[in-house]
Structures are given as structure tokens and as C-alpha cells.
Amino acid sequence: MMQKIQRFGAAMFVPVMLFSFAGIVVALGSLFNNPTLFGSIANPGTAWNSVWDTISAGGWTVFNQEGILFTVGLPIGLANKARGRAAMESVITYLTYNYFIGAMLTHWGTAFGIPNFAKIQIVANSTNSGLTNIAGIKTLDTSILGALVVALIVTWLHNKYFDKKLPDWLGTFQGSTYVYFLGFFAMIPLAIVTCWGWPKVQMGISSMQHFIVNSGAIGIWIYEFLNRVLIPTGLHHLVYIPFQLGPAVVAGGLQPYWLKHLAEYAASTKPLSQIASVEGFQLYGNEKVFLVPFICLAFYVTAKKNKKKQTSALLIPAALTSVLAGITEPIDFTYLFAAPVLWIIYSVMSATMNTIMYLFGLRGYMCDGAIGIASMNWLPLWENHWKIYVMQFIVGIICGILTFFIFKFMIEKFNYITPGREADDQDVKLINKKEYKQKMSAKAAGKDASDPYIARATAYLDLLGGASNITELSSCATRLRVSVADPSKVAPDSQFKANKAVNVVHHGKAIQVIVGLDVPQVLDEMNQLMQQSGNTAKVSTEQDNPYIERATGIVDLLGGDSNIKDVIACSTRVRAHVFDTKKVAADSEFKKIADSYEVQHKDNNEIDIVVGLDADQVVDQMKQLL
């Protein structure tokens, strides 16, 4: 179980690694577009503002597309094989899931409690009645939670069924197509459950707002706690947006209310708790500035000695992103799923710290990192309100130190797999895979019926002269493309055909083994067997251009490039003139190897191969080969 948790945590970190750089970009955009620091050149409409706003827009890409990012990233970390295909299967299934939700709410929105689904317009900085746009699809806002559920389902389907051998007449549907077929129908009940249950969860959050507003310090604590603990579900948007930009406390929202009265607050010597009494709900940037750096420190202190350097390289930019830009995802998702108890502790400490600051009289708009807090609080109000800000730093640092010791104790006590404490995944994975593959390879000859891919992969490796003889390996739609060091070590074509190869094409050190529609699975098994043997050859699991395959096959069947005088595309035909018709293969070979419909022999050594509407593309590739 612990190994599975470790693997899941590592998979979660695949997309999270992008957050640090994106956070720094956003922070720079916020910094350079602050009129308080840069004067009138940073005002909207100036060239300076436009440039930095454009840069910031690019930086927000990672954060605005978190759902898709995790949908793609999780299979890359969790798929046992063909990870690129697993990522493709996951993202198309995730989009299908959201299309199902959108269609269901369009037709039966009333039954699910969203009668005006079709009329609701998705706008920025709004709860949008719990809706959002994902890749242009209007759907329920399930944040990364929905993405993770879909990605886990697809990854499980991929690991279990990607290699499933279907009957030959269904061969075109195996592999990724079969996984998507299963995922497609799995998304229907999942979408129904989401449409039925998620709006109820969202409504429960909304109804709690009324209690929070009228409960003083208790309400502040609940608000701050929910605003942090609900981040993984995306429901925190329903908590803070009605306060920050909606009418939960004041008309128009607390953010514009604060900015509208900022000059008044700066000029007054009265305590902020008196002149800005309603502004106590927007203090949740403090945990980003004061708590996250100490959490990073706890991770570093508890990391293994041999991983401290690597851990610090990850944590330092992530901590700076949190402190400066107020973006905590690079830290949050490194331990959120591996040690959820720590996430609860962090949420409790955040709420407690902000409530203590509130009780001491702190008010303001402090939702971002230090850059945002300074520009909208410390810099304009320091002259008359510096005492409250000194208190803010004292409380923040004390709470940060407490958080550090609590995290350190919990991590060491319960051996949580936080950054720097995971096992050496690469070594463990290679050892386990090697042992597993050795057992499978030993039984390969007797497992042809139950696992044909391993049997064929093992046979082809031997026939190609062994793994050490292979320098490059890739595939087309139906054939393996191999570069070998010594062509003399390659076995006769008849032995390949005895192991279910359709044919073999030779071009010096370049060998093509025509496998059929099973080529992705055979290639993946060959790749793993080669890694087991220590071969460092270049392996690509992505298929080459299918037109290259047909073009190469036709060139071979026409007797090779030296036998071809010229070639043109004529409607649905490849029309070639050859020097010696005796070197041209039998018509049946064209149909079997080049997927041709018909071959016609005419005068002047002209050969017409009917290939279909792809004739132009095939000829283009043939000309490049010639």
C-alpha cells in the first residue's frame, strides 16, 4: 500500500513541477504592472502594462488549465506501459465526461437542480452557479477532483486492457481504441452521479456563507479553514468569491470596497478594525507568506541525506512562488495526497493564524503573496498603521515556527512520504521490473496463447541479433522500424514469418518487420525487454507517419529505389515506371504489405498501384525516399 501511495504522490508531482516557473511569471507580471511601484507607466492602456499583462496571461496557463494538466499528467506517472497513449486516452475521456455533463444538464438541468443551465453565461471572477468552461465545454466545476477521478479510471483501464488481444477481425479496435471504448461508457454513469451530487455539495457550501458572515471570530475561522481545506475540490471558489467579489458582506464585494476606500484608510489614524471592520475575510494570503516557507523547511529537514540537494532544488523556487506570488500549488500537491493529515493540519494552522491576526485588529485585502499584500496594504498604509503590520509579522512567524515543528514531528512519527523521503523510485522500479520481466521471458515460449505480445517481442529481439544489436527502434502503424549494428546477425525472413510477422523489409542496417495492428503492444514489450538487458538504444513508442510506411513498402515492392525511374500520383493511384519489371513483387504482396486495392501492369514498364485517396501523400513520401 505504501508503495502505491508513493507512486501516486510521484505521479501527482508530474504536472505540479510546471507550477513554480508559471508562478514566477505571474508574480513578475503583478509586480511590474503595479502603479504604486512603477507609477503611470503601469496604468492600463500603456504599452508597458500591455506587455506585462500579455506575459502574465501566458503564466496563468498552467493554473487556468489545472484539470486538463492533471488528466494528462497522472497517467504519465501511473501507467505501466505506453504512457503517452495512456495520457491521450485520459484527456479524451475527460473531455467526453465533461461533454456528457454539459449535454445532460442542457436536456435535464431541471431534474438535477440547474434549470437555467443553457442560459448561464460563464464570466471571470464569478461563481457562475457552480459552472465553468473546460476546453470550451460548459460543465460543472469539479476542479482537479473530477480530473483525478477520470484519470485514475482511465489509467486502471489502460493498465488492465491496453494489451488485451481482440479477435483478428476486431484488431483495429484494440489498444488505445479499446481503452477509450471502455472509458466512454464508464463516463456515462460517472457524469450522471456528478450531475446529481455535485450541485448539492455546492449548495451546501453556499448556505454556510450566511452563518459565517454573522459569527464574528468563529465565522472568520470557519471561512479561512474552508477556503484552504477545499482547494483540492475546487469548492473554495464558492467560499471566497461571494465575499471577495460578490454581495456576501458588502455590495460589489470586499476587494473593490477595500480599493475604493484605500486612500481614506491610509489617511486615518484610527485602527483598521474600526474604519474597515468588514474587511476581515480577506487575510488568507498570510499562510502563503508565513506558513508555506516553514512547511518547505520541514520537508527539507526531514528529507533523506542523499536527497537533500535535490529536495532543496525543488522546494526553494516553490517557496518563493508562494511567498512572492501567493501561488501555493507547487507545495500543496507534493504532499496533499501522500499525507492528507498534513493538509488538514495546514488548514487548521492557517485558519488559526488568520483568526488571531483578526482578533488583534488586522484588516485588509491580503489574498496574494508578498507582492500583492505590499502593494495594496503595507506600502500605502504603513505610515499610520505600521504597528498592526509589525504584529502581523510577529504572529505569522510564531505560527510558522509552530507549523514547522508540528510537520516535522508528524512526518517523522508516521513516516509520511513527503518530498525527499520517498524511496529511490528509479532503482526500485528497475529492480522490480527486471525480476518480473526475467520471469516472464523465461516462460514466454509457453505463453503464446495467454500473452502473445511478450512471446513475439522476445522472438523478434532474438531474430534481430539480440538486444545488443539494436541501435534504434520505432514503429509505423503496422511495422517495427529497426536499425541494427550488424545486419549479418539478423535471422532469415522465414523465421520472422514463423513468429507471425507478415514480412521483413531490408535496407542495409535498416530493418522493417511487418507485425500488423499489434505493433504498439509488441514495441512496448520489446522496449521493456531491452531496458532489462541494459540496452541504451534510442526507442520511440510513437508511431511514424503512416504514409511513410506505405511509401517505403511500395518502393521495396517495386524493386527498390534503384529500379524506379519516376513516380507520380494519379487520382487514387501511384503510377510508377520501373527499369526492370522482373524485380517487381507479385500483386498479392502489394495488397498484403502496402494495403493496396489493385495493381495494373501497362506498357513501357508502367505499374499502377491503386491505394485510395492517400495517393498524393504516399507519392510525396516516395519521392523523399527516392
Side-chain angles (χ1 to χ4, degrees), residues 317-618:
L320 290 175
T321 298
S322 175
V323 172
L324 297 177
I327 296 173
T328 60
E329 282 88 344
I331 298 300
D332 294 344
F333 294 119
T334 58
Y335 69 93
L336 174 58
F337 295 93
V341 172
L342 295 180
W343 180 257
I344 301 298
I345 293 172
Y346 170 43
S347 301
V348 170
M349 289 302 298
S350 299
T352 302
M353 177 184 66
N354 290 324
T355 303
I356 292 172
M357 291 179 178
Y358 170 83
L359 291 173
F360 273 107
L362 184 66
R363 303 290 187 273
Y365 178 67
M366 301 180 178
C367 302
D368 304 313
I371 294 174
I373 294 176
S375 63
M376 287 180 279
N377 298 268
W378 299 333
L379 293 177
L381 275 69
W382 183 267
E383 182 177 357
N384 289 324
H385 303 283
W386 63 270
K387 294 180 181 179
I388 197 67
Y389 296 138
V390 171
M391 178 280 305
Q392 177 187 11
F393 272 82
I394 293 173
V395 173
I397 292 172
I398 291 174
C399 288
I401 293 172
L402 288 174
T403 302
F404 165 79
F405 282 110
I406 294 172
F407 266 58
K408 181 177 182 295
F409 171 79
M410 295 291 289
I411 291 169
E412 294 176 341
K413 175 71 173 179
F414 299 102
N415 193 28
Y416 290 132
I417 310 303
T418 50
R421 292 178 61 81
E422 59 278 316
D424 191 341
D425 290 339
Q426 186 175 4
D427 291 341
V428 172
K429 183 182 295 183
L430 288 175
I431 291 172
N432 289 340
K433 180 183 289 185
K434 181 178 180 180
E435 293 174 351
Y436 173 75
K437 287 301 179 184
Q438 284 175 341
K439 294 179 182 179
M440 296 298 289
S441 297
K443 299 179 181 179
K447 289 191 62 178
D448 184 73
S450 61
D451 199 336
Y453 308 123
I454 292 178
R456 297 174 76 184
T458 304
Y460 295 154
L461 276 179
D462 293 337
L463 297 173
L464 288 166
S468 61
N469 195 40
I470 296 175
T471 57
E472 290 190 22
L473 179 63
S474 61
S475 72
C476 290
T478 60
R479 63 178 68 188
L480 294 168
R481 301 170 67 89
V482 190
S483 295
V484 296
D486 185 356
S488 65
K489 294 183 179 181
V490 179
D493 295 356
S494 59
Q495 295 187 30
F496 284 92
K497 293 179 180 179
N499 285 278
K500 298 186 178 182
V502 178
N503 206 346
V504 182
V505 180
H506 301 263
H507 283 289
K509 294 183 178 182
I511 311 294
Q512 296 182 28
V513 183
I514 303 175
V515 176
L517 294 172
D518 298 341
V519 70
Q521 293 86 349
V522 174
L523 174 65
D524 194 72
E525 293 296 344
M526 290 180 68
N527 181 24
Q528 295 185 47
L529 291 171
M530 289 172 62
Q531 291 180 1
Q532 166 198 325
S533 67
N535 187 305
T536 58
K538 179 181 179 182
V539 179
S540 173
T541 57
E542 301 299 323
Q543 290 184 4
D544 289 340
N545 187 329
Y547 302 124
I548 295 178
E549 176 186 1
R550 299 185 74 185
T552 304
I554 292 173
V555 169
D556 294 334
L557 295 169
L558 288 171
D561 54 0
S562 62
N563 194 45
I564 298 174
K565 183 178 181 180
D566 57 58
V567 61
I568 62 171
C570 183
S571 184
T572 61
R573 303 171 181 230
V574 173
R575 178 166 292 168
H577 290 90
V578 299
F579 292 106
D580 186 355
T581 57
K582 293 181 180 179
K583 294 183 178 180
V584 179
D587 295 357
S588 59
E589 293 297 305
F590 281 91
K591 295 178 181 180
K592 179 170 61 175
I593 297 175
D595 195 23
S596 305
Y597 300 101
E598 185 181 0
V599 180
Q600 298 177 352
H601 300 262
K602 299 184 178 181
D603 296 336
N604 301 321
N605 290 358
E606 179 181 308
I607 311 291
D608 283 6
I609 306 110
V610 182
V611 298
L613 297 175
D614 298 336
D616 287 332
Q617 293 91 331
V618 173

Side-chain angles (χ1 to χ4, degrees), residues 223-224 227-228 240 243-245 254-255 258 279-289 322 324-328 364-374 376-377 392:
Y223 172 85
E224 299 290 350
N227 198 34
R228 179 54 44 183
Y240 79 81
F243 287 78
Q244 181 176 320
L245 299 165
L254 290 171
Q255 179 183 2
W258 173 264
E279 296 284 359
F281 291 96
Q282 306 297 285
L283 304 180
Y284 52 84
N286 284 294
E287 59 257 30
K288 306 171 185 180
V289 175
S322 175
L324 297 177
I327 296 173
T328 60
Y365 178 67
M366 301 180 178
C367 302
D368 304 313
I371 294 174
I373 294 176
M376 287 180 279
N377 298 268
Q392 177 187 11

